[in-house]
Amino acid sequence: MSQTKLVSPEELARQDEYAALLHEYWIARRQEPPRAFVHTYGCQGNEADSERLRGLLARCGFGFCNSAEEADLALFNTCAVREHAEDRVFGNVGRLKGLRQTRGLRIALCGCMVQQAHVAEKLRRSFPFVDLVFGTHALHRLPELLYQMYAGGRRVFEIADTPGEIAEGLPLRRDSAFKAWLPIMYGCDNFCSYCVVPLVRGRERSRAPEVLLEEARGLVAAGYKEITLLGQNVNSYRSGDYDFPRLLRELDAIEGDFWLRFMTSHPKDCSPALLETMAAGRHIARHLHLPVQCGSDRVLAAMNRGYTQAQYLALAALAREYMPDLRMTSDIIVGFPGETYEEFRETLTLVDAVGYASLFTFLYSPREGTRAAAMPDPVPHAEKVRWFQELTALQEAKAAAGCAALPGKILRLLCETPGKRQALAGRSEGSQMVEFDGPTELIGQFVHVRVTKARGWLLDGERILQESPCPQGMGAIKHTP
Ligand code: SF4
């Protein structure tokens, strides 16, 4: 892991000056402060970045709205993980061309997708109505870039591939009042052969533990009920004497009623010390998202994942030894270049053996600049789609069988949203969604629900009054007496 370099206080003060200049700009033009629409694609890391982008926009005087049609500035925070996501961005941006011409909507793009030189070049040449493009390393410079765009009256492109720095102390506008993202590290050193993240997010760098502990204490004091630690490779966190288990232990020691989650973990960094920390935790959710990607040793080696099927299965078994009630989820790529059907069947074997609560499954998507993109890929797309369906059918059957055992059991849920079938929906420590009836004031609160019905993986329940066994972490599922 490279040395973490912080953006200097002088640079952050310079950005504050640009924010002040923008306020003066609106006043000089006798203009109402403009309204921004921020749209986020991709992972939770991007959502966390968008909370900082909104914070910076607010500092520059922007208000917010829920659609590009109402906005003066549309900002798209993009994702580069799959080709499909890139196509959607180009399509959505293309549709705004008319608004740019008729009422001067400003259009900006940032994030992983535009950090790629070929994408920035395409935007420069073929999307002349896009006003501002900036990459992942320039997020904290948004006030300066906006000032150049508005006061300078020109298109601005800033995608320099600088070694990533960390900007602490940026203003934040969180999306939720009870669930918080807490990025603990950025970038990735793993270079999985299919993945573009190390190319667009830079090398791994971790935030200082004292900053993270202070931020987490502030969140708990403010009433947040769930804190999710984020990193492209979260369990390789390292800062001075702190590794990930130590950071997790100290976060877990904070007093309060809250859950701690983390993602995304790499199997090679999932140590017994981490499992032991999870098992002993008071607040750490008994949920482990541990992407396996594939079950074939040959394909895993071609992916540069650094483990075999046997090693992964041993790790899953060890995790369940520490935490028999642990719920595991995973990511799987179907149709990696050169993968055969026999190799794909090893993925089915692994999925059957682990018994995941849910899976995020993807058809392989070639990414320019990665090693896998240059590998021969003879299997037709339609064949890969058939494999994908086979995997989905297996997982759905396994998940449904797991859910069928739940009626009668009591789960502690964090009530998150209105439900589709019942008034409310909440998520358990193990990330099971259950719908139940109750007043909307319960959103953002912990509740206990007895599961009444399972239809496939859809769960219904009824709220019961039960004293919280907080601090929790002793297992989400409790049998009814
Ligand atoms: S661990 Fe691999 S898949 Fe995950 S972000 Fe790093 S390079 Fe990409």
Side-chain angles (χ1 to χ4, degrees):
M1 183 175 296
S2 58
Q3 184 86 33
T4 296
K5 207 168 148 224
L6 294 181
V7 174
S8 69
E10 293 75 24
E11 173 60 20
L12 293 176
R14 206 171 69 86
Q15 295 306 320
D16 284 347
E17 284 166 22
Y18 277 110
L21 284 172
L22 275 164
H23 280 272
E24 285 171 22
Y25 178 80
W26 315 133
I27 291 168
R29 293 169 61 94
R30 292 194 175 80
Q31 185 178 331
E32 284 290 308
R35 296 203 301 165
F37 166 66
V38 180
H39 188 78
T40 310
Y41 297 87
C43 66
Q44 292 84 356
N46 255 19
E47 288 179 26
D49 281 352
S50 287
E51 293 184 338
R52 283 161 177 77
L53 290 166
R54 286 196 191 89
L56 287 165
L57 286 166
R59 184 164 283 180
C60 295
F62 281 80
F64 295 93
C65 57
N66 293 323
S67 74
E69 284 66 30
E70 308 162 76
D72 302 295
L73 171 73
L75 172 56
F76 295 94
N77 189 7
T78 63
C79 168
V81 171
R82 267 171 289 285
E83 198 174 7
H84 176 64
E86 286 191 7
D87 292 344
R88 271 175 49 218
V89 173
F90 284 127
N92 287 344
V93 169
R95 274 191 285 281
L96 297 182
K97 186 177 176 184
L99 291 176
R100 176 75 180 93
Q101 287 162 346
T102 53
R103 56 174 199 72
L105 170 73
R106 301 298 185 117
I107 301 170
L109 280 86
C110 67
C112 293
M113 172 180 152
V114 304
Q115 184 68 45
Q116 304 169 100
H118 70 278
V119 173
E121 192 48 36
K122 179 171 174 178
L123 287 166
R124 199 191 295 271
R125 274 191 289 105
S126 308
F127 291 74
F129 51 93
V130 169
D131 301 281
L132 169 60
V133 174
F134 59 103
T136 52
H137 305 304
L139 186 149
H140 65 278
R141 290 180 54 213
L142 181 60
E144 176 186 359
L145 303 175
L146 285 172
Y147 187 74
Q148 288 173 0
M149 179 185 83
Y150 280 109
R154 62 184 176 88
R155 300 179 83 195
V156 178
F157 279 68
E158 180 55 69
I159 58 152
D161 189 14
T162 51
E165 299 173 329
I166 291 182
E168 291 294 2
L170 294 183
L172 259 174
R173 275 176 72 104
R174 293 195 186 274
D175 287 341
S176 165
F178 58 91
K179 290 173 62 152
W181 308 122
L182 180 53
I184 65 167
M185 54 90 68
Y186 301 95
C188 186
D189 287 350
N190 287 334
F191 290 93
C192 300
S193 63
Y194 53 84
C195 181
V196 80
V197 164
L199 309 179
V200 294
R201 288 265 172 187
R203 299 295 84 74
E204 289 180 5
R205 53 218 185 267
S206 294
R207 296 178 70 193
E210 53 278 7
V211 175
L212 297 170
L213 286 160
E214 190 185 325
E215 192 168 332
R217 281 189 207 102
L219 288 166
V220 174
Y224 278 83
K225 297 287 188 281
E226 183 177 291
I227 299 174
T228 303
L229 313 179
L230 295 179
Q232 267 84 28
N233 190 10
V234 72
N235 52 349
S236 72
Y237 174 91
R238 180 160 284 282
S239 179
D241 293 341
Y242 279 74
D243 59 7
F244 187 57
R246 179 173 177 194
L247 177 70
L248 206 50
R249 272 196 304 279
E250 296 200 12
L251 290 165
D252 185 57
I254 296 172
E255 289 303 329
D257 190 7
F258 65 99
W259 283 340
L260 267 175
R261 299 185 185 278
F262 56 89
M263 62 169 44
T264 293
S265 302
H266 194 296
K268 76 172 174 44
D269 298 306
C270 187
S271 61
L274 172 56
L275 299 174
E276 200 177 328
T277 301
M278 287 180 75
R282 300 184 305 159
H283 303 286
I284 306 166
R286 297 288 177 86
H287 171 213
L288 184 58
H289 183 70
L290 197 63
V292 65
Q293 305 299 6
C294 177
S296 149
D297 289 350
R298 191 201 66 79
V299 177
L300 283 169
M303 287 177 163
N304 193 32
R305 289 294 290 176
Y307 51 85
T308 61
Q309 183 193 105
Q311 286 166 332
Y312 185 95
L313 287 174
L315 186 58
L318 184 64
R320 290 221 166 94
E321 246 175 66
Y322 276 107
M323 294 163 282
D325 55 352
L326 180 72
R327 284 169 53 85
M328 289 185 67
T329 53
S330 194
D331 297 341
I332 289 184
I333 296 172
V334 173
F336 184 79
E339 184 176 11
T340 63
Y341 182 65
E342 287 64 38
E343 287 168 335
F344 165 71
R345 288 197 59 81
E346 293 180 51
T347 300
L348 297 179
T349 305
L350 180 136
V351 167
D352 195 34
V354 175
Y356 294 109
S358 63
L359 281 181
F360 297 88
T361 45
F362 308 98
L363 276 177
Y364 169 75
S365 171
R367 306 285 60 217
E368 193 168 321
T370 61
R371 277 190 293 132
M375 295 178 185
D377 190 5
V379 177
H381 179 78
E383 179 69 10
K384 293 184 182 185
V385 171
R386 272 195 293 280
W387 300 358
F388 185 91
Q389 289 163 344
E390 207 174 326
L391 174 60
T392 308
L394 170 67
Q395 176 55 29
E396 281 181 1
K398 294 206 58 104
C403 288
L406 287 176
K409 293 183 176 163
I410 296 174
L411 300 179
R412 189 171 194 243
L413 309 178
L414 177 56
C415 182
E416 293 187 353
T417 56
K420 293 194 176 103
R421 304 178 301 283
Q422 301 202 56
L424 298 170
R427 192 180 296 275
S428 74
E429 198 182 331
S431 227
Q432 296 142 306
M433 283 300 281
V434 186
E435 298 208 2
F436 59 98
D437 273 328
T440 51
E441 293 74 50
L442 289 175
I443 291 177
Q445 305 295 323
F446 286 117
V447 294
H448 282 94
V449 164
R450 177 183 284 111
V451 179
T452 53
K453 193 158 62 176
R455 271 177 295 151
W457 44 269
L458 298 176
L459 297 173
D460 286 332
E462 62 188 4
R463 187 172 158 234
I464 59 166
L465 295 176
Q466 173 169 325
E467 280 305 301
S468 160
C470 177
Q472 59 283 344
M474 304 305 290
I477 300 175
K478 291 160 189 75
H479 295 268
T480 45

